[in-house]
Each structure stands twice: as C-alpha cells, then as structure tokens.
C-alpha cells in the first residue's frame, strides 16, 4: 500500500493547530468552506464534486487526530486513513505536524494528484494557524 507523508513546522501552539484540525471554524479556515458533521463523521464538500468526502473521526486529542475515509467517494480514498501527529517543535515555540494519509493502492493513478493537493493544504493549514486569517483551499 502507498501513503502520503508531510512534516510541517507551524509557529503556533498545539491547541491552535488542534482546533484547526478538529472544529468547524478551524477546518473551514484552511481546507474547504463546505464542512458539516454527522456525529463523528465529517463531511467535506468541494466545488464540482458530486458528493461529500466522508471521514469518520476515530481519535481527536492534542497529540493525534485520526480519520478514516468511509464514503464511496472518491472511490480511491475508501478505507484510507488520515493521521495528524502533533508534537512541540524542538525549540518549544510551535507545533510539529506529522501528516500521513495511508492505505492507497500501489497503482492508484490519483495518488500524485492527491499528494499535490495535500501539499497545498498543509501550506494553508500553516498559513491559517500562524495568521488566524481564513484562507480555505476550496470555496463553495
């Protein structure tokens, strides 16, 4: 199985990063303005996409956030797992985010596009948490 990984140092405390990954206002601040929730399932809508991505929140604390893709769309995400590991930066002034999206088929033709999109999203997460100014990658 293939995976996507990123490590990003953010000049913001862990609580701020956690909130950006675990609250409506946080997620709409850097990812997409189309965020809804059904219990522990997060629904992410994107322009020109036929149905929302459905990610079940399996764990959410200030050290790790884990989501599992449980929706039928996009098909190549089904059963994949997104993990955000949060630790202090070595100098203790910010947050180190170790991101992993695992479980893709080795021959997945959409992997490169997904990795490129996650790279842009990590930049937006950093920008939003450091500035406090919303900058969603996708706007409905």
């Amino acid at each position: 199985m293939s995976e996507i990984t990123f490590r990003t140092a953010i000049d913001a405390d862990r609580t701020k990063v956690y909130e950006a990954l675990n609250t409506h206002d946080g997620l709409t601040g850097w990812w997409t303005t189309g965020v809804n929730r059904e219990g522990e399932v997060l629904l992410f809508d994107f322009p020109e996409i036929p149905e929302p991505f459905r990610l079940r929140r399996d764990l959410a604390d200030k050290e790790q956030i884990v989501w599992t893709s449980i929706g039928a769309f996009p098909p190549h995400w089904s059963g994949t797992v997104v993990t955000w590991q949060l630790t202090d930066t070595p100098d203790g002034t910010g947050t180190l985010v170790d991101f992993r999206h695992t479980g893709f088929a080795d021959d997945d033709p959409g992997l490169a596009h997904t990795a490129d999109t996650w790279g842009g999203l990590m930049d937006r997460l950093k920008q939003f948490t450091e500035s406090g100014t919303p900058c969603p990658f996708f706007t409905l």
Side-chain angles (χ1 to χ4, degrees):
M1 301 302 278
S2 293
E3 66 181 50
I4 300 164
T5 62
F6 288 99
R7 174 174 275 183
T8 304
I10 297 178
D11 190 20
D13 66 46
R14 198 182 307 188
T15 297
K16 195 172 214 177
V17 176
Y18 167 79
E19 289 173 356
L21 295 169
N22 200 47
T23 67
H24 180 270
D25 289 346
L27 291 164
T28 60
W30 63 274
W31 193 354
T32 177
T33 56
V35 176
N36 290 296
R37 184 173 166 184
E38 294 174 352
E40 291 302 316
V41 177
L42 301 168
L43 306 170
F44 296 95
D45 283 305
F46 304 99
E48 300 179 28
I49 300 298
E51 63 183 86
F53 289 30
R54 299 176 63 84
L55 298 168
R56 183 186 64 231
R57 188 174 62 172
D58 297 325
L59 176 66
D61 61 35
K62 291 184 182 175
E63 294 173 355
Q64 189 174 53
I65 296 166
V66 179
W67 301 331
T68 300
S69 180
I70 61 168
F73 191 85
H76 71 116
W77 276 42
S78 184
T80 62
V81 177
V82 176
T83 304
W84 313 83
Q85 188 76 39
L86 309 179
T87 56
D88 295 334
T89 54
D91 65 6
T93 63
T95 304
L96 190 61
V97 179
D98 285 303
F99 167 88
R100 293 179 64 188
H101 192 167
T102 62
F104 292 98
D106 289 334
D107 62 350
D108 183 342
L111 187 61
H113 175 72
T114 302
D116 185 56
T117 302
W118 275 123
L121 288 166
M122 293 301 291
D123 288 340
R124 296 294 178 106
L125 174 64
K126 178 178 174 66
Q127 182 181 345
F128 172 62
T129 53
E130 289 180 350
S131 72
T133 302
C135 55
F137 197 84
F138 299 99
T139 303
L140 295 179

